[in-house]
Amino acid sequence: MKRKILTGILLAFVLVIAGILALSIRPEYSKVNYNPADSHNKTDKTISFGTDGKLKILHITDTHLKHNHNLEPTILMVERACDAEKPDIVMLTGDIVLNCDSAEDTKKLINALMNVFDSRNIPVAVTFGNHDSEQGEMSREELMAYYNSFSCSVSVDDGEALTGCGTYNIPVLSSDGKKVKFNLWVFDSGDYDEEGRYSCVQPDQVEWYKKTSDKLKRENGGEAVNSLVFQHIIVGEIYDALMKADSHKSYSYKHLYNEDEYYMFDPDRVNYGTIRETPCPGYANYGQFDAMVEKGDVLAMFTGHDHTNAFGVEYKGIDIVNSLSTRYIGLFHSTQCGYRVIEVDEKDTSAYETRVERMFDNYDFEAVREAKETGDKFTYKMLREFAVKGAVQKFATVAYGKLIEGVTGRQVTYPD
């Protein structure tokens, strides 16, 4: 009886807190009826290192925008990320919007997100995930055409030349604009295979990569052009980069396709970040990663798909990196929502720096106070939710990590 009373009290407490922190949704938020044809912005689609010799990339993935669900708070987070980071380019790596039953509704969701970048003249590159076109009215090709109607889009529809839609590369020019100094690869990693398992980059896309890499090398005087890769689904080699465990543990995760295998960080490799769920690569493997090892031009591969994973592991000279989902996901999930920043210095393109910014960690009570003073009730309530839940989550996350490390001697989190 006492347990039921305590459970009831706890439930009531949670409901009260949830009510206090409930969001006020403003229907006009983020210009959901925005028409890209009305834009007078002229975003420069030539990507180059800045006058300071730096390239800053904002990696946003898995926003999963949906009407009357997470649209307004997610767009607010993306806006604040853009304003805080001021990136040179944004990479959107799939599962961007819920493809609705009507093209008009789908376009409104795209409008809300793309207007953030268009209004700030930030170039955006798009590729797709497994959810973008699995249902709803619009095909991948139709979605890409609509993204490309925004002046800020630097995306490419490869047409019938390659499997999928949205496999291309973006040359990055030197700060003086005289030569290609770096390169960004974008791959459509597909959705599902015939058996309903996750897909992967296909053989024709791998061959395209090899030929394009060779072409860039020839044009660069025989020297490989250093590059980064962006796609939705992680490569199968992630399991080679991790360490196999003998059983399930608090810091190990089951292989997606082999139920009796568990994997964890290998302490003898370069690791950073956190694994919170099983990595989910495609079932097949057509040699994409091996081709990149062979060509020697890829520093790292950045993916989304696995929403709560924010880690990087080095394997055969390439970093396999996963980024957090950039979407509002509700009560007490503060450490599992954020974005990634990648920075490259023109003086040494053989290296890069990256960091994860978790949304709830970014907004302290000073930001809440400032929002309140502006009179913007929506932003005030949103940031208050971030700050309160963030404080709880940060404490719980640190305590959990220390507990596991103290009991088992294993790290569950490496510095981001």
Side-chain angles (χ1 to χ4, degrees), residues 400-410:
Y400 172 76
K402 293 294 184 183
L403 175 64
I404 297 302
E405 188 172 356
V407 173
T408 68
R410 295 289 309 189

Side-chain angles (χ1 to χ4, degrees), residues 37-49:
D38 295 335
S39 172
H40 299 291
N41 297 322
K42 299 296 180 184
T43 304
D44 186 356
K45 295 189 177 184
T46 301
I47 308 302
S48 61
F49 286 90

Side-chain angles (χ1 to χ4, degrees), residues 93-145:
T93 55
D95 287 4
I96 304 167
V97 304
L98 177 68
N99 199 343
C100 305
D101 292 334
S102 75
E104 181 182 0
D105 286 340
T106 302
K107 289 178 179 179
K108 286 181 179 180
L109 292 170
I110 296 174
N111 289 347
L113 181 62
M114 291 296 284
N115 179 56
V116 175
F117 314 124
D118 191 73
S119 63
R120 291 164 174 77
N121 288 311
I122 301 173
V124 181
V126 173
T127 193
F128 298 118
N130 53 298
H131 289 312
D132 289 279
S133 59
E134 70 178 346
Q135 61 184 20
E137 180 67 23
M138 300 181 73
S139 67
R140 266 165 147 73
E141 288 73 22
E142 290 169 331
L143 288 167
M144 185 63 85

Side-chain angles (χ1 to χ4, degrees), residues 281-339:
Y283 182 80
N285 189 332
Y286 298 109
Q288 179 193 15
F289 186 83
D290 287 343
M292 292 174 177
V293 172
E294 175 191 338
K295 295 302 176 185
D297 58 349
V298 174
L299 306 179
M301 304 182 73
F302 294 90
T303 59
H305 188 48
D306 305 327
H307 297 174
T308 62
N309 287 342
F311 67 82
V313 292
E314 183 276 333
Y315 183 62
K316 293 186 177 180
I318 297 175
D319 294 339
I320 302 175
V321 187
N322 205 88
S323 297
L324 289 173
S325 169
T326 313
R327 64 167 180 166
Y328 172 79
I329 48 178
L331 191 65
F332 298 118
H333 286 282
S334 63
T335 62
Q336 316 309 327
C337 178
Y339 60 85

Side-chain angles (χ1 to χ4, degrees), residues 247-278:
S247 63
H248 175 65
K249 295 178 172 64
S250 55
Y251 47 80
S252 66
Y253 295 86
K254 183 182 294 186
H255 191 293
L256 181 61
Y257 303 110
N258 302 327
E259 292 188 359
D260 296 331
E261 295 182 5
Y262 297 86
Y263 289 82
M264 60 189 180
F265 278 127
D266 183 345
D268 294 330
R269 293 190 182 278
V270 175
N271 304 305
Y272 53 89
T274 56
I275 299 178
R276 300 286 191 187
E277 63 176 297
T278 295

